[in-house]
């Protein structure tokens, strides 16, 4: 790969009902790891990861918010300045899809106008047939692919079904968002980037357990 | 209580006589004025010296000798009660250590993390005031160039002491700095508290006297070890006395003792008392507990949900009927219990999880204003743990008794010998003769029983009888705790927002440089300290240390889970001040999300609690004019 252009910082926020797998998605993306019983997130967690997409290097600054209703009043603080959002639901829990719909609505009303939103139906591993086939186990899935696609189409969102457990499609979400982030937006954020270049480099070196070239493609 | 604190605050707020150090040092104005205030108390020692002679004090000194700062102070002598800041006499000593800090570091910011470095040896017994002093010289002289030490005598003493045995031990700078601090404090204590010297004469008063030839370092080490064990014993004895001496337990006395940590065996009963769940009047204890435990069971009966392991997941109906809401609540609790303390074996057992689910669910439906909020699942675990631990302890004691009885039966006929510590048991844990508890009998016959701890005890061995009791006690204690912080969990969590703001305010007074750094990096307090408040630092510290912290929280009045906790958070943050000032936005957040506390020991937490106490005394009622 040729010299990568200086990393573009993208502020990204994760939203969605409790226990749909927000933190697990991020953990998979940042550390390529999975923990079966991850402690519930309180408030919000902050993580970073770099991602090289073609010519561009994008550095995601991720705010992984707590899903429980009681913490919802904190969310605006985190999505206010976000350039991208991932709204997550659990494809085996219809209530979480309803919640996802609410988050999309709120983002369109309250967040930045040009925010890039990805809708993600997580826990694909639960519906997958055991013998690696294409088929799905009957009755486990409660939200159809079409429902997800329709919502995404209506609202102009990216759409993926993922499994943080098997890592299925996880990196694609972040690559997809990177591709959709308008060049203009990344250019606009460049000056700020230059100002803070020193401090950002420092932190990338400091966080050791992340798989940095995870999604170079 | 309040009065003591006031006294202490007065001590801090005096306005003259800076006898320990001058103006030059200190990083921030707030810091230097803070330290200046602290140094004042050195002068007030005289007025209190007589009270140091009372016997309570002496026992305290034995109890606390091995704690906290005592790393440096236990070699000093029993004046380890340095850190019982509840008493005026201790106040001075707390303060004298505080005021000693600038000698060893350039300010609180850099000083605290440095002092947090774990010290090899732990007991502190290995540090000799003689041997280490030589090493402390360079450091000391460096700090001397920054601060004017106005007390010439100290130096004279130290020179004299340092000459022999300089080759004895190799100490790192950290330790030497402690020891130099130590050596500086001791002359004052020596002259004012001659009665505080331990009879064992473990070389502690040496800093101010010519060294005795007969003492060699190893000898001293052994004596220190013995001394440490004695201290633990006497701590237990002290609690035992308070808990058994009278038909009415003196809560004030218990509070004073508990502030500095409760022995494991007596923690559960002490917590019950401190929370006001167990009556202090012994004749009422059994009946009250019985009634409350019954109430808990009736509560569970009244609940509509069924607590079986895997309720059918017919979530497809999304109507907000009450039944459905209850189901969703239970579902939420269920998945959270599964991921509560996931690294501890105890919480992976179905029996444990079932208990926690019931406790949390009942609490949530009984408190609709807040309902179940994530984090509350963490808060009930210390209670569950200590009650289970107490049951195991009681079983072990009973097994010993039975074995003794068995032996005596072989020689002569005798009835079950009385357990001397019967009074220290929480009533109702062991099955009475009328109660049928085959699981308990099985445990009592288990030859492995003496080896069981929370790490290897499987909660499925518990009988339904004791399971319900542990659940009930946990439930009521959790309720008591949450009563004090209800506004942390209601809509928009105003209690937490307030505490986060208070924390910021406090830091701006204590460590202005840190605030400036956070501001310039765009770090907001809510980003990292929300969780500190919502989970009472339970995600930041190992649970054993949290339990130790709660000893102190529970002995604060009002309970320390609210205001005092904010001061503890301030002390916690400032521990890392030096590190944080060198970090940028991302590094700060990543660091604070995963602070390096996995190797912390009790003494680290005790130091933090002491610092929190000092700051509370300084700032609590003075916020208006300091703002």
């Amino acid at each position: 790969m040729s010299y990568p252009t200086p990393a573009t910082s993208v502020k990204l926020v994760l939203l969605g009902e409790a226990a749909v797998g927000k933190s697990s998605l991020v953990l998979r993306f940042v550390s390529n790891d999975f923990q079966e019983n991850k402690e519930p997130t309180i408030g919000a967690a902050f993580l970073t990861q770099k991602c090289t997409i073609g010519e561009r290097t994008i550095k995601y600054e991720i705010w992984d918010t707590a899903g429980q209703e009681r913490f919802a009043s904190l969310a605006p603080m985190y999505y206010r300045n976000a350039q991208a959002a991932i709204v997550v639901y659990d494809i085996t829990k219809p209530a979480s899809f309803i919640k996802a719909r609410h988050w999309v609505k709120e983002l369109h009303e309250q967040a930045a106008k040009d925010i890039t939103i990805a809708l993600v139906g997580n826990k694909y591993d639960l519906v997958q047939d055991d013998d690696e086939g294409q088929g799905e186990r009957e009755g486990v899935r409660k939200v159809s692919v079409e429902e997800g696609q329709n919502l995404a189409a209506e609202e102009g969102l990216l759409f993926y079904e993922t499994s943080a457990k098997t890592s299925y499609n996880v990196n694609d979400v972040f690559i997809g968002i990177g591709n959709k982030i308008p060049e203009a937006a990344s250019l606009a954020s460049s000056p700020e980037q230059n100002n803070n270049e020193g401090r950002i480099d420092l932190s990338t070196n400091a966080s050791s357990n992340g798989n940095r070239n995870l999604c170079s493609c | 209580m309040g009065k003591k604190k006031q006294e202490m605050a007065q001590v801090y707020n005096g306005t003259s006589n800076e006898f320990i150090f001058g103006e030059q040092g200190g990083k921030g104005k707030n810091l230097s004025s803070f330290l200046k205030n602290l140094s004042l108390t050195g002068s007030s020692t005289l007025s209190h010296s007589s009270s140091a002679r009372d016997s309570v004090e002496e026992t305290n000194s034995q109890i606390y000798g091995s704690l906290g700062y005592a790393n440096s102070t236990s070699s000093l002598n029993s004046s380890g009660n340095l850190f019982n800041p509840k008493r005026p006499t201790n106040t001075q000593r707390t303060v004298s250590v505080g005021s000693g800090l600038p000698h060893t570091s350039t300010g609180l910011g850099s000083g605290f993390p440095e002092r947090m470095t774990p010290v090899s040896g732990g007991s502190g017994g290995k540090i000799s005031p003689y041997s280490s002093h030589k090493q402390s010289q360079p450091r000391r002289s460096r700090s001397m160039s920054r601060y004017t030490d106005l007390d010439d005598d100290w130096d004279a003493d130290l020179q004299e002491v340092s000459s022999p045995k300089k080759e004895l031990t190799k100490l790192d700078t950290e330790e030497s700095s402690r020891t130099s601090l130590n050596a500086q404090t001791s002359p004052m204590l020596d002259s004012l508290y001659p009665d505080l010297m331990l009879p064992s004469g473990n070389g502690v008063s040496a800093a101010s006297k010519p060294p005795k030839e007969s003492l060699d370092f190893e000898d001293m080490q052994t004596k220190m070890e013995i001394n440490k064990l004695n201290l633990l014993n006497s701590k237990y004895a002290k609690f035992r006395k308070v808990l058994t001496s009278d038909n009415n337990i003196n809560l004030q006395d218990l509070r004073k003792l508990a502030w500095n940590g409760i022995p494991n065996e007596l923690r559960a009963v002490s917590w019950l008392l401190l929370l006001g769940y167990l009556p202090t009047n012994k004749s009422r204890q059994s009946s009250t507990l019985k009634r409350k435990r019954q109430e808990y069971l009736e509560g569970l009966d009244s609940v509509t949900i069924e607590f079986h392991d895997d309720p059918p997941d017919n979530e497809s109906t999304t109507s907000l009927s009450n039944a459905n809401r209850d189901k969703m609540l239970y579902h939420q609790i269920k998945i959270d219990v599964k991921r509560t303390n996931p690294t501890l074996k105890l919480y992976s057992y179905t029996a444990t999880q079932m208990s926690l689910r019931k406790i949390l669910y009942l609490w949530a439906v009984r408190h609709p204003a807040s309902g179940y909020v994530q984090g509350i699942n963490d808060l009930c675990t210390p209670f569950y743990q200590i009650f289970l631990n107490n049951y195991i302890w009681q079983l072990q004691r009973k097994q010993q008794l039975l074995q003794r009885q068995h032996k005596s039966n072989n020689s002569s006929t005798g009835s079950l010998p009385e357990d001397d510590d019967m009074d220290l048991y929480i009533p109702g844990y062991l099955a009475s003769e009328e109660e049928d508890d085959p699981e308990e009998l099985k445990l009592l016959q288990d030859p492995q029983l003496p080896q069981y701890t929370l790490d290897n005890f499987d909660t499925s061995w518990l009988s339904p009888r004791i399971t319900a009791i542990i659940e009930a006690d946990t439930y009521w204690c959790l309720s008591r705790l949450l009563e004090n912080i209800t506004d942390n969990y209601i809509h928009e969590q105003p209690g937490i927002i307030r505490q986060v703001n208070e924390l910021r305010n406090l830091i701006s007074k204590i460590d202005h440089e840190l605030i400036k750094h956070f501001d310039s990096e765009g770090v907001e307090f809510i980003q990292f300290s929300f969780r500190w408040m919502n989970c009472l630092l339970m995600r930041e510290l190992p649970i054993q240390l949290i339990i130790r912290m709660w000893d102190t929280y529970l002995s604060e009045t009002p309970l320390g889970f609210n205001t005092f906790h904010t001061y503890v958070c301030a002390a916690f943050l400032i521990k890392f001040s030096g590190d944080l000032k060198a970090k940028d936005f991302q590094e700060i957040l990543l660091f604070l999300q995963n602070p390096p506390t996995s190797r912390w020991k009790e003494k680290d937490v005790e130091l933090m609690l002491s610092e929190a106490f000092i700051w509370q005394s300084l700032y609590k009622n003075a916020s208006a004019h300091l703002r």
Side-chain angles (χ1 to χ4, degrees):
Chain A
M1 200 174 295
S2 58
Y3 288 108
T5 47
T8 309
S9 282
V10 173
K11 291 189 177 63
L12 183 148
V13 64
L14 276 100
L15 300 163
E17 200 180 64
V20 296
K22 296 179 293 301
S23 302
S24 294
L25 274 175
V26 181
L27 184 67
R28 175 61 76 188
F29 174 59
V30 170
S31 308
N32 195 17
D33 191 10
F34 180 76
Q35 290 168 15
E36 194 65 53
N37 287 317
K38 216 173 172 316
E39 289 178 313
T41 308
I42 305 295
F46 180 76
L47 299 97
T48 63
Q49 175 65 301
K50 268 191 184 171
C51 180
T52 308
I53 303 169
E55 296 288 285
R56 292 202 299 165
T57 302
I58 290 184
K59 179 158 180 256
Y60 285 109
E61 298 171 12
I62 305 166
W63 279 108
D64 168 26
T65 65
Q68 208 196 358
E69 190 61 39
R70 181 62 77 229
F71 303 118
S73 55
L74 293 174
M77 194 171 76
Y78 296 108
Y79 67 62
R80 212 170 33 216
N81 301 315
Q83 291 139 280
I86 301 179
V87 176
V88 189
Y89 65 94
D90 175 349
I91 57 175
T92 69
K93 295 275 182 295
S96 72
F97 187 65
I98 295 173
K99 187 74 209 172
R101 215 181 264 279
H102 290 158
W103 277 123
V104 171
K105 187 162 173 274
E106 181 167 338
L107 283 172
H108 280 319
E109 286 167 5
Q110 312 282 337
K113 286 277 169 289
D114 57 348
I115 190 167
T116 302
I117 305 174
L119 178 69
V120 170
N122 193 32
K123 306 202 184 178
Y124 185 73
D125 55 285
L126 292 179
V127 306
Q128 221 171 357
D129 226 355
D130 282 333
D131 43 1
E132 302 246 343
Q134 297 294 314
E136 285 190 9
R137 275 192 261 174
E138 296 236 338
V140 183
R141 176 191 279 277
K142 294 283 165 54
V143 183
S144 69
V145 185
E146 290 74 29
E147 282 176 276
Q149 282 169 339
N150 288 344
L151 176 60
E154 281 166 34
E155 302 282 348
L157 321 171
L158 295 165
F159 175 69
Y160 300 89
E161 286 196 345
T162 61
S163 165
K165 191 172 184 173
T166 66
S167 85
Y168 168 70
N169 250 354
V170 174
N171 289 341
D172 304 77
V173 176
F174 290 87
I175 294 165
I177 290 173
N179 282 327
K180 207 185 167 191
I181 294 273
E183 287 291 333
S186 30
L187 284 175
S189 67
S190 287
E192 185 204 5
Q193 173 62 26
N194 291 338
N195 287 341
N196 300 324
E197 206 162 24
R199 82 176 202 210
I200 280 164
D201 284 352
L202 264 176
S203 71
T204 13
N205 295 337
S207 69
S208 56
N209 57 353
N211 184 352
R212 216 146 309 287
N213 296 319
L214 197 68
C215 63
S216 60
C217 42
Chain B
M1 265 332 240
K3 202 180 154 216
K4 293 256 163 70
K5 282 184 196 169
Q6 270 174 14
E7 277 177 52
M8 184 166 167
Q10 280 165 10
V11 167
Y12 287 124
N13 290 332
T15 49
S16 61
N17 192 359
E18 303 155 33
F19 88 107
I20 292 187
F21 56 91
E23 282 278 42
Q24 288 140 297
K27 278 193 170 172
K29 279 177 191 159
N30 294 313
L31 174 63
S32 64
S33 69
F34 163 64
L35 292 168
K36 227 187 286 172
N37 281 331
L38 294 185
S39 71
L40 299 175
T41 49
S43 63
S44 63
T45 26
L46 290 166
S47 59
H48 291 295
S49 60
S50 61
S51 60
R53 287 182 175 82
D54 72 64
S55 59
V56 178
E57 194 64 30
E58 195 179 318
T59 324
N60 269 350
S61 74
Q62 286 171 359
I63 292 170
Y64 307 123
S66 63
L67 303 176
Y69 280 98
N71 246 331
S72 57
T73 53
S74 62
S75 63
L76 214 176
N77 66 25
S78 58
S79 71
N81 77 345
L82 233 24
F83 288 99
N84 178 6
K86 294 261 145 171
R87 297 159 176 284
T89 44
N90 295 330
T91 301
Q92 312 132 14
R93 272 166 280 148
T94 306
V95 161
S96 56
V97 166
S99 59
L101 293 181
H103 292 272
T104 59
S105 65
T106 50
L108 290 178
S110 55
F112 282 5
E114 182 183 290
R115 284 184 294 118
M116 291 317 306
T117 316
V119 177
S120 58
S123 70
K126 292 181 177 114
I127 305 166
S128 153
Y130 309 79
S131 54
S132 57
H133 182 65
K134 189 62 191 171
Q135 275 85 6
S136 73
Q137 278 300 313
R139 199 181 172 82
R140 185 171 164 73
S141 50
R142 199 182 74 201
S143 51
M144 287 293 289
S145 65
R146 287 168 190 267
Y147 302 105
T148 316
D149 191 329
L150 302 175
D151 193 338
D152 291 336
D153 295 345
W154 289 14
D155 271 296
D157 268 346
L158 292 167
Q159 295 296 347
E160 203 181 342
V161 169
S162 69
S163 38
K165 304 194 179 190
K166 54 191 165 195
E167 73 289 356
L168 238 181
T169 38
K170 212 168 142 194
L171 292 168
D172 60 35
T173 26
E174 146 78 68
E175 285 183 7
S176 12
S177 72
R178 283 161 184 266
T179 319
S180 84
L181 164 85
N182 185 357
Q184 285 160 1
T185 355
S186 59
M188 183 169 72
L189 293 176
D190 271 358
S191 53
L192 294 173
Y193 302 98
D195 50 334
L196 283 181
M197 301 300 154
L198 278 189
S200 62
N202 43 8
V204 287
S205 58
S208 64
K209 292 174 190 164
K212 296 173 191 122
E213 283 161 43
S214 61
L215 271 176
D216 79 358
F217 184 63
E218 277 171 28
D219 191 20
M220 212 161 69
Q221 245 181 319
T222 321
K223 282 183 176 165
M224 284 303 206
E225 287 299 315
I226 294 167
N227 196 30
K228 198 187 156 199
L229 290 173
N230 285 338
L231 293 177
L232 282 175
N233 258 337
S234 87
K235 184 170 185 173
Y236 183 89
K238 190 73 193 162
F239 271 88
R240 193 176 183 284
K241 197 176 160 201
V242 170
L243 293 171
T244 58
S245 62
D246 197 6
N247 194 41
N248 251 322
I249 293 162
N250 186 330
L251 215 49
Q252 286 303 320
D253 289 350
L254 184 61
R255 279 205 187 99
K256 279 177 200 157
L257 286 177
W259 209 94
N260 292 283
I262 305 174
N264 273 331
E265 304 88 347
L266 305 179
R267 180 169 277 128
V269 73
S270 302
W271 281 21
L272 287 175
L273 287 159
L274 292 169
L275 278 164
Y277 170 48
L278 186 66
T280 53
N281 184 333
K282 286 200 183 138
S283 56
R284 288 178 47 224
Q285 289 184 339
S286 286
S287 56
T288 306
L289 287 180
K290 209 170 170 187
R291 184 167 47 80
K292 292 303 246 183
R293 288 165 184 165
Q294 190 56 36
E295 250 178 70
Y296 168 77
L297 289 176
E298 283 162 13
L300 284 185
D301 285 343
S302 71
V303 157
T304 51
I305 209 91
E306 283 186 40
F307 291 105
H308 44 69
D309 197 27
D310 276 305
D313 233 354
N314 47 2
E315 236 195 308
S316 45
T317 54
T318 42
S319 72
L320 284 176
S321 68
N322 279 345
N324 201 51
R325 209 177 294 166
D326 287 352
K327 232 175 257 169
M328 282 165 68
L329 169 65
Y330 184 61
H331 172 75
Q332 176 71 59
I333 287 172
K334 209 178 79 176
I335 53 180
D336 282 356
V337 163
K338 223 191 278 179
R339 46 191 187 151
T340 299
N341 294 341
T343 56
L344 302 177
K345 187 101 176 71
L346 174 62
Y347 295 92
S348 65
Y349 298 114
T350 315
T352 311
Q353 295 190 2
M354 196 58 86
S355 289
L356 296 186
R357 282 188 215 170
K358 289 178 181 171
I359 295 161
L360 291 169
Y361 185 78
L362 185 61
W363 189 87
V365 294
R366 290 277 175 92
H367 299 83
S370 60
Y372 168 73
V373 178
Q374 289 176 334
I376 295 179
N377 57 327
D378 293 315
L379 299 185
C380 75
T381 57
F383 295 120
Y384 183 80
Q385 246 180 262
I386 63 153
F387 293 131
L388 176 60
N389 195 42
N390 195 265
Y391 180 60
I392 298 172
W393 175 67
Q394 290 194 28
L395 285 176
Q396 289 165 344
R397 300 279 301 222
K398 180 149 186 197
Q399 192 185 48
Q400 284 171 11
L401 276 182
L402 291 170
Q403 284 163 355
R404 237 183 293 160
Q405 180 199 27
H406 185 68
K407 275 178 200 154
S408 64
N409 273 354
N410 286 346
S411 51
S412 65
T413 49
S415 57
L416 188 68
E418 272 291 299
D419 187 340
D420 298 339
D421 283 349
M422 212 60 173
D423 264 5
L424 300 174
Y425 290 4
I426 303 173
Y429 271 49
L430 293 176
S432 65
E433 280 170 22
E434 308 88 69
E435 284 170 316
D436 187 30
D437 193 335
E439 287 90 346
E440 185 168 298
L441 280 179
K442 198 176 161 204
L443 280 167
L444 286 170
Q445 283 155 10
D446 186 344
Q448 298 295 313
L449 179 61
Q451 275 79 53
Y452 289 145
T453 63
L454 292 178
D455 297 327
N456 58 10
F457 190 90
D458 182 339
T459 44
S460 68
W461 301 334
L462 297 171
S463 66
R465 183 194 66 84
I466 187 66
T467 302
I469 288 174
I470 292 175
E471 280 175 20
D473 289 356
T474 304
Y475 172 82
W476 289 113
C477 287
L478 177 70
S479 304
R480 287 278 173 163
L481 161 64
L482 291 172
E483 267 168 35
N484 287 274
I485 48 174
T486 29
D487 57 355
N488 282 11
Y489 302 109
I490 58 175
H491 180 61
E492 298 202 325
Q493 305 190 269
I496 292 184
I497 304 302
R498 178 179 45 76
Q499 278 180 284
V500 167
N501 290 334
E502 279 170 8
L503 177 63
R504 194 196 144 86
N505 260 334
L506 266 178
I507 300 295
S508 70
K509 290 166 196 159
I510 300 167
D511 193 345
H512 196 63
E513 291 295 317
L514 187 60
I515 287 282
K516 283 206 312 214
H517 182 64
F518 277 11
D519 285 349
S520 71
E521 289 296 325
V523 174
E524 290 178 43
F525 273 64
I526 198 157
Q527 290 166 342
F528 62 88
S529 67
F530 183 90
R531 190 171 79 177
W532 296 6
M533 307 307 174
N534 193 79
C535 304
L536 295 174
L537 287 175
M538 286 193 67
R539 297 286 183 88
E540 281 69 30
L541 293 164
I543 192 160
Q544 318 83 269
L545 298 185
I546 289 295
I547 288 174
R548 167 60 194 89
M549 258 166 67
W550 286 17
D551 289 344
T552 301
Y553 282 18
L554 288 167
S555 65
E556 282 278 314
T557 40
L559 294 180
F561 298 97
N562 204 325
T563 312
F564 185 66
H565 177 67
T566 313
Y567 288 92
V568 172
C569 288
F572 185 71
L573 182 60
I574 285 177
K575 290 243 173 285
F576 308 113
S577 177
D579 285 337
L580 291 169
K581 282 174 194 160
K583 293 182 189 300
D584 66 30
F585 174 83
Q586 295 177 16
E587 292 170 312
I588 289 169
L589 286 171
L590 294 174
F591 180 91
L592 289 175
Q593 273 170 186
N594 196 11
T597 54
S598 58
R599 295 170 76 183
W600 274 31
K601 300 273 183 289
E602 275 201 7
K603 65 180 162 54
D604 299 310
V605 163
E606 280 162 355
L607 178 60
M608 186 168 82
L609 291 167
S610 302
E611 284 158 0
F613 182 82
I614 292 174
W615 286 324
Q616 178 169 260
S617 311
L618 278 171
Y619 295 121
K620 192 176 177 185
N621 297 314
S623 50
H625 88 266
L626 282 163
R627 207 164 273 156

